[in-house]
Amino acid sequence: MTNFVVVVVILLIVGAAIAYIVKEKKKGNRCIGCPAAATCPSAQAGKCSGGCHANTHTDD
């Protein structure tokens, strides 16, 4: 029974992550994890990769 509960929890987490990715892609966000994904010039130019926002954010 414990194994079943663990499998269901993992499937729910993976399903929620996939649903979030699909939703964000439909909105047109290319860099899903970045808070500035919709307005970032790199993302709008289609040049987004894992670290594309390193130069666009400032740490004040």
Side-chain angles (χ1 to χ4, degrees), residues 40-60:
C40 177
S42 296
Q44 291 174 350
K47 299 177 184 174
C48 185
S49 63
C52 69
H53 298 287
N55 298 335
T56 59
H57 298 289
T58 58
D59 294 325
D60 294 329

Side-chain angles (χ1 to χ4, degrees), residues 24-47:
E24 291 298 312
K25 288 291 185 177
K26 284 184 180 180
K27 288 195 313 189
N29 292 339
R30 293 180 186 251
C31 298
I32 294 171
C34 179
T39 59
C40 177
S42 296
Q44 291 174 350
K47 299 177 184 174

Side-chain angles (χ1 to χ4, degrees), residues 4 8-9 18 20 22 25 28 31 37 43 50 60:
F4 177 73
V8 169
V9 169
I18 291 171
Y20 177 74
V22 168
K25 288 291 185 177
C31 298
D60 294 329

